[in-house]
């Protein structure tokens, strides 16, 4: 296919930089192994993106976190007329914002756990706090579980919020869902097989995602076929409501009564040896190399953005 010269954008300047470098290296090697003229680039500025526009034909975005995944890079590439993988600017920005993602899902009638917002204009009010414990405290605009804590009491809540505020000015306190954790990959309008995530830790945190050897990834996920199909349909709805495109991943919980609850959407999921979308693709019989090629193919069909 006439891909031309491909820039794999990675690194960046977010808290997830280390993971992005690993993702970008894996993607670059997979593209090169197929004879594609691909180059891994550590991009940190608009000047870097302007250089991409001058020297490359298209971009594979492997940037995670702020600036690279939140719509900024997407907007610049769109303005520079560089085709790129993944979602356009607006949906990237929404997906990076856990709070506004939940508001959109609620507006569309999709299930997501109850929550409380904390911000400069809406500080934490312990007396008015009405969620049942445990809850999970999250920075609204971080990924990879950075800054997150599970909390069991009012006494610990204030400390957890202060910790999350080290990463973000806006905090989401979400009702904890007791049950099983799943993730659903999306590739070009199709839902990939669900993966069940199992960890001895409190939740699927940064350690469980990238460092632990005792995290279990169960695929096939063990659900009845009709249940998995219903959840895959929900995953596609959640993806569509945000306006996401190309590829991504929706994380969700299944409570003890079997009710699914949408947690968040990742518009540029990880592509490391611990990553979930490549794992789901393998379960469908697609190699890592085939997956990255399929993602890159979307840049030929239309201009993104």
């Amino acid at each position: 296919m006439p891909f031309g010269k491909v820039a794999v954008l990675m690194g960046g300047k977010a808290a997830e930089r280390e993971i992005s470098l690993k993702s970008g290296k894996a993607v670059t090697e997979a593209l090169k192994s197929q004879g594609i003229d691909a180059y891994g680039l550590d991009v940190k500025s608009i000047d870097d993106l302007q250089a991409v526009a001058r020297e490359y034909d298209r971009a594979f975005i492997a940037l995670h976190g702020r600036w690279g995944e939140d719509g900024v890079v997407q907007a610049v590439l769109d303005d520079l007329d560089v085709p790129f993988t993944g979602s356009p600017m607006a949906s990237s920005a929404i997906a990076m914002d856990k709070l506004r993602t939940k508001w959109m899902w609620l507006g569309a009638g999709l299930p997501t756990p109850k929550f409380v917002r904390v911000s400069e204009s809406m500080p934490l009010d312990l007396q008015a706090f009405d969620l049942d414990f445990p809850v999970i405290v999250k920075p609204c605009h971080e990924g990879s579980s950075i800054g997150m804590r599970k909390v069991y009491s009012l006494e610990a809540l204030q400390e957890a919020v202060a910790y999350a505020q080290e990463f973000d000015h806006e905090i989401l306190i979400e009702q904890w869902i007791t049950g099983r954790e799943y993730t659903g990959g999306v590739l070009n309008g199709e839902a990939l097989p669900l993966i069940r995530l199992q960890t001895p830790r409190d939740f699927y945190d940064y350690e469980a995602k990238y460092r632990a050897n005792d995290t279990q990834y169960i695929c096939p996920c063990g659900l009845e076929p009709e249940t998995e199909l219903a959840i895959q349909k929900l995953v596609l709805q959640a993806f569509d409501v945000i306006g996401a495109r190309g590829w991504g991943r929706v994380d969700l919980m299944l409570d003890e009564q079997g009710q699914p609850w949408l947690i968040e959407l990742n518009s540029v999921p990880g592509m490391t040896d611990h990553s979930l979308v490549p794992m789901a693709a393998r379960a469908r019989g697609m190699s890592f190399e085939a997956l990255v090629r399929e993602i890159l193919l979307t840049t030929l069909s239309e201009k993104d953005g």
Side-chain angles (χ1 to χ4, degrees):
M1 302 297 292
F3 292 118
K5 197 174 178 183
V6 179
V8 180
L9 309 185
M10 58 175 146
K13 47 191 178 181
E16 297 175 80
R17 172 178 169 79
E18 177 186 348
I19 305 305
S20 173
L21 289 170
K22 291 180 179 179
S23 290
K25 181 180 178 182
V27 168
T28 304
E29 291 175 354
L31 292 174
K32 285 183 174 180
S33 73
Q34 300 173 79
I36 296 169
D37 192 22
Y39 300 83
L41 303 177
D42 186 353
V43 290
K44 303 176 186 175
S45 68
I46 291 179
D47 288 343
D48 291 341
L49 297 178
Q50 289 174 328
V52 169
R54 290 192 299 269
E55 301 172 23
Y56 295 85
D57 297 293
R58 64 200 69 254
F60 191 116
I61 298 178
L63 292 159
H64 307 316
R66 302 189 198 196
W67 189 73
E69 192 175 353
D70 63 4
V72 177
V73 164
Q74 288 79 1
V76 173
L77 292 177
D78 184 43
D79 188 60
L80 294 172
D81 204 31
V82 178
F84 57 88
T85 57
S87 294
M89 180 271 292
S91 53
S92 295
I94 294 167
M96 192 66 198
D97 188 323
K98 296 178 178 66
L99 175 67
R100 283 154 188 85
T101 293
K102 288 169 72 70
W103 276 336
M104 286 193 70
W105 283 339
L106 286 173
L110 301 183
T112 191
K114 294 179 181 179
F115 60 95
V116 170
R117 173 196 182 203
V118 175
S119 66
E120 292 176 359
S121 61
M122 297 182 66
L124 176 63
D125 186 343
L126 292 176
Q127 291 185 333
F129 189 77
D130 61 354
L131 295 182
D132 295 329
F133 287 99
V135 297
I136 189 156
V137 179
K138 309 175 179 180
C140 280
H141 305 91
E142 288 291 354
S144 292
S145 300
I146 290 170
M148 288 172 52
R149 284 186 181 174
K150 187 179 180 182
V151 176
Y152 295 86
S153 67
L154 277 176
E155 291 73 21
L157 182 60
Q158 194 164 14
E159 182 184 349
V161 167
Y163 173 66
Q165 286 172 328
E166 295 177 13
F167 300 90
D168 201 346
H169 68 281
E170 194 168 35
I171 307 303
L172 176 69
I173 305 174
E174 188 176 61
Q175 181 70 68
W176 178 263
I177 301 296
T178 299
R180 293 168 290 175
E181 189 167 0
Y182 295 85
T183 191
V186 175
L187 179 62
N188 295 336
E190 294 185 16
L192 296 173
L194 296 179
I195 299 174
R196 181 182 171 191
L197 312 173
Q198 199 164 309
T199 173
R201 303 176 68 82
D202 270 348
F203 62 96
Y204 188 53
D205 61 7
Y206 189 94
E207 188 74 20
K209 287 177 179 177
Y210 301 117
R211 294 174 179 165
N213 293 318
D214 54 2
T215 304
Q216 295 182 52
Y217 305 95
I218 303 169
C219 188
C221 67
L223 294 172
E224 293 294 327
E226 60 271 20
T227 302
E228 181 167 7
L229 284 173
I231 295 176
Q232 287 176 313
K233 182 179 178 181
L234 176 63
V235 164
L236 291 174
Q237 288 178 304
F239 199 77
D240 182 62
V241 163
I242 303 302
R245 191 168 66 209
W247 74 298
R249 200 187 80 227
V250 175
D251 298 336
L252 60 117
M253 296 291 298
L254 202 62
D255 69 19
E256 293 171 320
Q257 289 72 47
Q259 166 69 44
W261 297 95
L262 297 168
I263 303 299
E264 64 178 274
L265 189 154
N266 294 272
S267 62
V268 186
M271 295 288 273
T272 72
D273 55 357
H274 277 63
S275 296
L276 298 166
V277 171
M279 198 177 303
R282 283 198 301 273
R284 206 181 73 173
M286 178 179 285
S287 68
F288 185 82
E289 290 76 15
L291 172 63
V292 297
R293 183 183 176 88
E294 188 70 19
I295 294 170
L296 187 61
L297 277 170
T298 62
T299 64
L300 296 178
S301 58
E302 58 181 317
K303 295 283 187 180
D304 293 76

